[in-house]
Amino acid sequence: KLYKVGILGATGAVGREMMKILAERQFPISELRLFASSRSAGKVVEWNGRPVMIQEPSEENFRGLDIVLGAAESDIARLYAPEVVRAGAVFVDNSSAYRMDDDVPLVIPEVNPEDVKLHHGIIASANCSTIITVTAVNALNAISPIRSMVASTYQAVSGAGAGGPVELAEEVEALRTGKPVQPKVFSHQIAYNLIPQIGGEQYEGYTSEEMKMQNEGRKIMHLPDLRVTCTCVRVPVVRSHSISVTLRFDKPVSVREARHAIAAAPGCRLVDDLGNHEYPMPLDTSDQDLVYVGRIRPDLTDDNGLTLWCCGDQIRKGAATNTIQVAELLIEK
């Protein structure tokens, strides 16, 4: 069977990546409709060797579609999701709009694929850092339930949208030539710097981005009592997020057990050879869909703990690919 698919927010970084990945994965499409703001409506782009005209989103324009992939901001998703559902399509959304709604499943296909069956017209894809981290640690949760996580994220500038890499490159050039730096995308200079804030303050000094790791992790892994403390940092890396994670389990999990489980886990690649300088790095994990996991070692503060390091492409697996994988699950199940 072939499906009629739409992309809401098709002209953004994630929307463009979705177009590329739909073709790569040979998603069974009979028709692709692209939706964006009135500024882009009427423009024609090429997809898979055929021209596609960008349309403005509306319930009328959604009619006849089977699936709409959400690549727009959360306010746009909230505005148009009801129209998508009324038009008879399933909305698979990458934004944060519906992730914590009780009647909307939040899905990482390698972790909780069965939850896709619980939808009522809307399915949410998780936050990029949450997807990368939970994909990396889920196999360990099967050995012993995870009770808590201490995480620090090192998030690439492309996570802030298409303007992030441009601003980093412009600042590097300005500093090279002695010109002043004028940040626009970020609150401070990002070139040769780290910014320990992503999102606004949400709870007790934690940002909205930091709280997603706990709130979304609990829902995806079905661990309602999971406790997470997280620090999210923007770093001058173009693409691929990295996360340092310390896990505490119900019972001890050995390094050997962890390596064996992660090596066999769907969506993961074990890269863990400190002696040969082999470990996950953004350069290696960009423009592909696996989460690389390494630096697995005992937590020296808790006998029931392990520490690891993981990296993944936040535009692909952390956003576009995960959303498309959810759509694939939808048609499979």
Side-chain angles (χ1 to χ4, degrees):
K1 182 179 177 181
L2 299 179
Y3 296 84
K4 295 182 178 182
V5 176
I7 299 177
L8 178 65
T11 57
V14 174
R16 294 197 303 271
E17 200 74 18
M18 284 179 176
M19 292 172 62
K20 173 183 169 184
I21 294 166
L22 284 170
E24 270 182 25
R25 297 176 73 92
Q26 298 183 326
F27 196 95
I29 293 178
S30 61
E31 179 187 354
L32 180 68
R33 295 183 204 168
L34 304 178
F35 302 101
S37 68
S38 57
R39 295 190 306 275
S40 299
K43 294 179 181 177
V44 176
V45 299
E46 185 176 299
W47 178 79
N48 221 15
R50 44 181 139 153
V52 182
M53 188 177 74
I54 298 171
Q55 308 176 48
E56 287 192 65
S58 69
E59 185 172 339
E60 181 180 349
N61 288 340
F62 294 140
R63 290 200 185 280
L65 292 176
D66 299 298
I67 299 167
V68 175
L69 306 173
E73 297 295 325
S74 56
D75 57 337
I76 302 298
R78 285 273 183 196
L79 179 63
Y80 289 109
E83 296 187 13
V84 170
V85 175
R86 283 198 299 269
V90 178
F91 187 49
V92 184
D93 185 31
N94 181 65
S95 83
S96 62
Y98 292 96
R99 288 174 186 159
M100 299 314 299
D101 282 25
D102 289 340
D103 61 347
V104 175
L106 180 62
V107 179
I108 301 174
E110 294 89 347
V111 179
N112 60 330
E114 67 285 349
D115 287 1
V116 79
K117 298 177 183 178
L118 306 176
H119 80 86
H120 302 284
I122 302 172
I123 306 170
S125 182
N127 171 258
C128 50
S129 293
T130 304
I131 289 173
I132 294 165
T133 306
V134 171
T135 301
V137 307
N138 183 60
L140 306 183
N141 185 58
I143 300 172
S144 178
I146 298 169
R147 290 304 173 206
S148 69
M149 296 197 302
V150 178
S152 294
T153 73
Y154 304 78
Q155 298 186 214
V157 292
S158 52
V166 174
E167 181 151 300
L168 173 59
E170 289 177 346
E171 288 182 355
V172 169
E173 180 62 17
L175 292 166
R176 187 187 70 81
T177 56
K179 295 177 182 176
V181 168
Q182 298 178 320
K184 299 181 184 68
V185 176
F186 302 108
S187 56
H188 301 277
Q189 174 185 316
I190 187 59
Y192 312 121
N193 193 27
L194 304 175
I195 303 174
Q197 178 183 356
I198 303 176
E201 183 175 355
Q202 180 171 322
Y203 175 76
E204 295 285 354
Y206 286 85
T207 68
S208 55
E209 186 81 0
E210 289 161 349
M211 292 308 297
K212 289 173 185 175
M213 189 77 79
Q214 173 167 278
N215 297 336
E216 295 180 18
R218 286 174 170 177
K219 185 173 180 178
I220 296 161
M221 301 177 78
H222 302 159
L223 293 173
D225 298 322
L226 177 69
R227 302 181 71 179
V228 179
T229 184
C230 184
T231 302
C232 291
V233 184
R234 187 73 69 191
V235 299
V237 168
V238 172
R239 187 159 173 160
S240 206
H241 289 353
S242 306
I243 303 98
S244 170
V245 193
T246 295
L247 306 161
R248 307 276 163 73
F249 302 94
D250 262 357
K251 63 179 184 180
V253 176
S254 71
V255 170
R256 183 179 177 182
E257 283 180 298
R259 285 181 175 147
H260 180 77
I262 288 169
C268 290
R269 174 174 291 170
L270 180 68
V271 183
D272 192 16
D273 189 344
L274 189 62
N276 286 312
H277 311 290
E278 294 179 0
Y279 23 69
M281 294 185 294
L283 282 177
D284 297 330
T285 53
S286 294
D287 203 27
Q288 57 83 56
D289 294 323
L290 294 176
V291 174
Y292 286 28
V293 187
R295 296 300 321 277
I296 303 169
R297 57 204 189 275
D299 174 13
L300 300 182
T301 69
D302 192 313
D303 291 340
N304 286 10
L306 280 178
T307 293
L308 58 81
W309 171 262
C310 57
C311 291
D313 187 316
Q314 90 288 351
I315 301 176
R316 287 185 63 107
K317 180 53 187 168
T321 301
N322 196 79
T323 307
I324 290 168
Q325 287 176 309
V326 172
E328 289 170 343
L329 268 181
L330 185 67
I331 62 177
E332 175 190 322
K333 294 182 180 296

